[in-house]
Amino acid sequence: MWHLTVRSPLNVPVEYWVKPGKNTLGRKADNQIVIADESASRLHAEIYCQNDLAIIYDLGSTNGTFVNRELITKPLVLQPGDQIRIGQHVISVAFQATGASPNSGDGRLNTRKLTRELLLESIDRHAVFLDAVASRLTIILDLETALQEIAEMTRLAVGAGKCAVVLAEHFDHLEDSELQSLIIQQTIEQHSIMIIPNLTSQDDRAKGADHQALAPSVLSVPVLIGQEVVALLYAYKTDPTARPFDRHDVQLAVAISHQAALTIQRAKLIEKSQMFEQLAITDSLTGLHNRRHILNLAELEFQRAQRFQHPLTMLVLDLDDLKQINDTYGHLVGDQALQAVAENGKKELREVDSIGRFGGDEFVILLVETELCAGRIVAERICQVISDTLINTRSGPLKISVSIGAAAVSEKASSLADLLDQADKALMMAKKAGKHRVAVAE
């Protein structure tokens, strides 16, 4: 008897036995084989079956009927293993000997190397499904969410009870899963596809062994980037009466493993890009914004303050006597002092404020929506917190202090350069007045 398995990206596989005589395929509910696809015509195609012969006809459908990726224009004799495509629905064709069950299987562990040829063949045969998967993933940037989406689509496509994509860094936790350790180990170490079509039919099942914790059918596929196994795609069925995984399921899982690899690769590239972007704007010693970035932020805030007539205060902070610290205790201690200034200064700011290392021992702080009088209070608090902090160095506790100059956007500060100059002049006033204090621009 001829047996069809209808698969689509959004639904579980549906099984059909082809009856003798005419079997219609289409979108109408009264067809023998219903194709719930907008691309399918109401009466799309027909399979005529007589004895061991099955012939497929296209019934003048709008979007055509494809067998093994070829548009059929005349009646075609079907062969076991053929693949029919109507819209986004893919139909696997199988022939079952009379009296045999589609759920039969010897339960033996089958192994197949995941080769480039198998991968390309699987991608080619399931291009429509992969296109649907890719379109769903384009709006998902979070890797964990994307892998969950891939797993759910795979679960539906192969009719599994459970499916997951496990990253390599989590392989150590797979021991507690339903997969047998042998399957996991061989999949990862041998880069092989592992499949047990019908686990519950093994000999020890007949002997009365307890297999309640085992899945009736198991499928495991490595996710490869180059020669590295970056993840594991596995699926298993929990219903003992369910159809075992077949070679079409294997091909589909292999194709999806490629999409999983692309998704992981994309996530790693995004992560690396973000890392480089962060390095480009971060001071390596203090972890604050570097000179270029703090000046870019300052320019944006200055323009916004002028346009909307909002207050903006700038603080220029200087670590007192850094040269003396370096000469007395060494540059490593001097670096510790700068790090302490950065850490304690940042703690006293709001999330909307910004702080960056301007260069050497100087820092720039932007206090948005802040008048000069309020900015002075913030500066004095920072000055006090830093002086109250003892730094533990290899030469013993060290007490440091800072001087701060403050200036605000005003008619005299018509540009960012003017504002920075005023704050810098105020800093010089604080230095000349004896350091460890705050001075405000006149």
Side-chain angles (χ1 to χ4, degrees):
M1 296 179 66
W2 290 91
H3 181 258
L4 305 181
T5 304
V6 182
R7 296 177 171 87
S8 73
L10 302 178
N11 296 294
V12 297
V14 181
E15 309 288 327
Y16 291 97
W17 289 106
V18 181
K19 299 177 182 179
K22 294 181 179 180
N23 297 262
T24 58
L25 297 83
R27 190 157 38 90
K28 286 178 61 178
D30 58 355
N31 283 287
Q32 279 78 27
I33 301 167
V34 179
I35 309 297
D37 193 311
E38 292 182 357
S39 299
S41 298
R42 294 169 61 83
L43 190 60
H44 195 101
E46 177 186 298
I47 295 177
Y48 182 81
C49 183
Q50 183 175 6
N51 299 325
D52 294 344
L53 182 68
I55 303 173
I56 186 168
Y57 307 77
D58 183 81
L59 299 178
S61 64
T62 303
N63 296 305
T65 302
F66 296 79
V67 176
N68 300 331
R69 302 176 300 284
E70 295 290 335
L71 177 67
I72 62 171
T73 57
K74 58 184 179 180
L76 180 70
V77 177
L78 291 174
Q79 302 294 331
D82 279 349
Q83 186 182 74
I84 305 167
R85 180 172 68 80
I86 297 176
Q88 286 194 326
H89 282 63
V90 176
I91 306 169
S92 304
V93 179
F95 184 79
Q96 195 76 44
T98 303
S101 168
N103 292 340
S104 63
D106 59 10
R108 290 179 298 179
L109 178 63
N110 297 318
T111 305
R112 185 175 181 184
K113 190 77 172 179
L114 180 51
T115 62
R116 177 177 174 81
E117 290 73 20
L118 174 59
L119 179 61
L120 292 177
E121 179 188 355
S122 301
I123 292 171
D124 185 42
R125 290 183 68 86
H126 295 282
V128 174
F129 186 90
L130 288 183
D131 183 63
V133 174
S135 65
R136 294 273 290 272
L137 295 176
T138 52
I139 59 174
I140 303 175
L141 295 180
D142 177 66
L143 178 58
E144 182 178 352
T145 304
L147 295 182
Q148 288 175 352
E149 185 73 12
I150 291 173
E152 178 58 18
M153 295 185 74
T154 307
R155 185 188 70 79
L156 288 173
V158 301
K162 183 176 179 181
C163 183
V165 182
V166 183
L167 291 171
E169 51 263 38
H170 300 142
F171 283 170
D172 291 342
H173 304 298
L174 281 172
E175 295 176 359
D176 298 330
S177 74
E178 293 80 354
L179 285 176
Q180 291 182 331
S181 59
L182 174 63
I183 299 175
I184 298 169
Q185 183 180 356
Q186 291 193 14
T187 302
I188 297 170
E189 294 181 358
Q190 300 180 14
H191 297 191
S192 296
I193 305 156
M194 312 299 296
I195 179 171
I196 300 180
N198 196 352
L199 187 62
T200 55
S201 66
Q202 296 186 77
D203 292 340
D204 53 356
R205 174 71 172 179
K207 295 176 182 177
D210 183 9
H211 280 262
Q212 294 301 314
L214 296 177
S217 190
V218 178
L219 173 62
S220 176
V221 179
V223 178
L224 299 175
I225 296 180
Q227 293 301 311
E228 179 186 2
V229 179
V230 297
L232 180 70
L233 170 65
Y234 74 86
Y236 63 86
K237 300 197 176 187
T238 53
D239 183 0
T241 63
R243 173 187 61 82
F245 293 121
D246 58 23
R247 68 184 189 87
H248 297 287
D249 296 318
V250 171
Q251 279 193 331
L252 186 54
V254 168
I256 295 173
S257 77
H258 177 67
Q259 185 62 60
L262 293 178
T263 301
I264 294 169
Q265 212 166 19
R266 180 187 68 170
K268 288 185 175 181
L269 287 173
I270 291 174
E271 183 181 350
K272 187 176 291 185
S273 175
Q274 291 173 338
M275 180 187 69
F276 285 138
E277 182 180 345
Q278 190 63 31
L279 288 173
I281 64 174
T282 303
D283 174 62
S284 59
L285 176 64
T286 62
L288 302 179
H289 299 312
N290 59 20
R291 178 188 178 98
R292 180 195 299 176
H293 193 55
I294 193 63
L295 285 179
N296 287 341
L297 292 175
E299 183 65 43
L300 291 173
E301 291 297 344
F302 183 85
Q303 295 296 337
R304 189 181 67 85
Q306 279 204 322
R307 179 180 301 173
F308 300 107
Q309 298 296 303
H310 287 189
L312 172 66
T313 295
M314 174 182 282
L315 307 180
V316 177
L317 180 152
D318 182 88
L319 173 59
D320 295 330
D321 303 316
L322 177 60
K323 184 178 184 305
Q324 184 178 342
I325 294 172
N326 287 333
D327 292 344
T328 305
Y329 303 102
H331 286 275
L332 290 178
V333 175
D335 287 348
Q336 281 185 273
L338 290 169
Q339 289 167 340
V341 170
E343 182 181 352
N344 288 287
K346 189 174 183 178
K347 284 180 181 178
E348 298 303 315
L349 302 179
R350 303 165 299 176
E351 292 229 0
V352 295
D353 300 326
S354 302
I355 178 173
R357 188 180 178 192
F358 193 61
D361 54 0
E362 283 193 346
F363 299 81
V364 168
I365 297 173
L366 302 172
L367 303 175
V368 299
E369 301 291 344
T370 304
E371 301 283 358
L372 185 57
C373 57
R376 177 170 191 158
I377 294 173
V378 174
E380 289 175 343
R381 188 170 68 240
I382 292 173
C383 194
Q384 188 62 47
V385 166
I386 290 174
S387 68
D388 290 343
T389 303
L390 284 177
I391 304 172
N392 293 318
T393 73
R394 58 185 181 182
S395 301
L398 175 67
K399 188 173 184 180
I400 60 173
S401 65
V402 296
S403 301
I404 303 176
V409 172
S410 66
E411 293 180 1
K412 293 182 179 180
S414 59
S415 68
L416 177 62
D418 291 340
L419 180 63
L420 188 58
D421 183 61
Q422 288 186 22
D424 197 52
K425 286 178 179 178
L427 173 62
M428 293 302 105
M429 292 167 53
K431 290 281 190 182
K432 290 178 181 179
K435 303 177 182 177
H436 180 35
R437 65 194 63 222
V438 175
V440 177
E442 297 179 356

